[in-house]
Amino acid sequence: MSIENISSNKSFGGWHKQYTHRSKVLNCDMRFAIYLPPQASAGEAVPALYWLSGLTCTDENFMQKSGVQRIAAELGIAIIAPDTGPRGDDVADDDAYDLGKGAGFYINATQAPWNRHYQMYDYIVKELPELIEASFPISAMRSISGHSMGGHGALTIALKNPLRYRSVSAFSPISNPINCPWGQKVFTQYLGDDKTQWLEHDASELMRMARQFIPARVEQGNADPFLEEQLKPESLSAAAKVSGYPLELNSHDGYDHSYYFIASFIEEHLRFHAAHLQT
């Protein structure tokens, strides 16, 4: 599978680069960003953190706003930021921001017209890592993180694939999508009306039933305007207590849903992942 480099910027001794490639899984051209720390430039195979962004975002938001490169360079961790969904003129879309392009929700759609392109679960779990590990000095040691819709994606993907990831974290994740407007809208469109199919993509349901554990950390701002209606971290906490899941859930007074919040705690999250990627 070929990739095309479209931008390169040196940062903290490493390189932030953007690439495009043809995705067979998504049936369209896709773009991703990667930060290669200095250790990778020296030929060392480094571990990777996959970052999944939220509604309306692209590969650029996190890479440009979080300040992740400084600490990634110190720790020797590559950062991979895919787009949030398929793109292209023939890709199904909706006028609303929370459905269609930019709202892939990291699941495999089963309903037309979405199922032709919206196979983000397979893209994140299988196709993209295979491409990354074949194209760059990246090892098979992976962790995963994300924000909001991407936090939902990181948690559900890690919970469904505990042997593929060393650790998982999330900022302001959609923790119980079967019981919130964002999740109900998207699941109805992408997965259909059979709500038993929704359970496989709900972090709280998956955590409640988990039998294999990996370290998990969640950051939530108490001034987040989406906290009560959309995010529901209390459901995730309750689920962890049922299964005994090793979840660290931290609440922070005054912080909202923005990248100011992410930038405030991203260093702690990278150090959390580094501790597990190095073991």
Side-chain angles (χ1 to χ4, degrees), residues 239-260:
K241 291 178 181 178
V242 171
S243 63
Y245 206 95
L247 170 68
E248 177 185 347
L249 198 161
N250 302 305
S251 297
H252 301 277
D253 291 339
Y255 286 93
D256 57 19
H257 201 71
S258 71
Y259 271 85
Y260 295 108

Side-chain angles (χ1 to χ4, degrees), residues 105-184:
F105 255 79
Y106 308 103
I107 63 177
N108 288 341
T110 60
Q111 305 299 301
W114 312 104
N115 56 348
R116 183 166 181 261
H117 295 98
Y118 287 77
Q119 304 294 312
M120 284 297 290
Y121 176 87
D122 283 349
Y123 179 70
I124 298 299
V125 174
K126 300 175 183 177
E127 186 179 39
L128 184 60
E130 289 175 3
L131 176 64
I132 293 293
E133 291 165 19
S135 304
F136 304 99
I138 304 295
S139 75
M141 292 190 296
R142 314 174 197 94
S143 290
I144 191 166
S145 185
H147 171 233
S148 194
M149 177 186 73
H152 141 80
L155 289 169
T156 55
I157 285 171
L159 286 162
K160 290 167 71 71
N161 300 275
L163 299 181
R164 286 187 63 84
Y165 302 96
R166 298 294 185 93
S167 52
V168 59
S169 74
F171 289 80
S172 314
I174 303 171
S175 297
N176 192 202
I178 64 173
N179 289 316
C180 81
W182 278 338
Q184 291 166 348

Side-chain angles (χ1 to χ4, degrees), residues 53-72:
S53 289
L55 288 166
T56 75
C57 291
T58 68
D59 63 289
E60 294 183 331
N61 298 70
F62 177 70
M63 292 302 216
Q64 294 181 3
K65 296 179 179 180
S66 69
V68 70
Q69 292 86 354
R70 177 183 63 82
I71 191 65

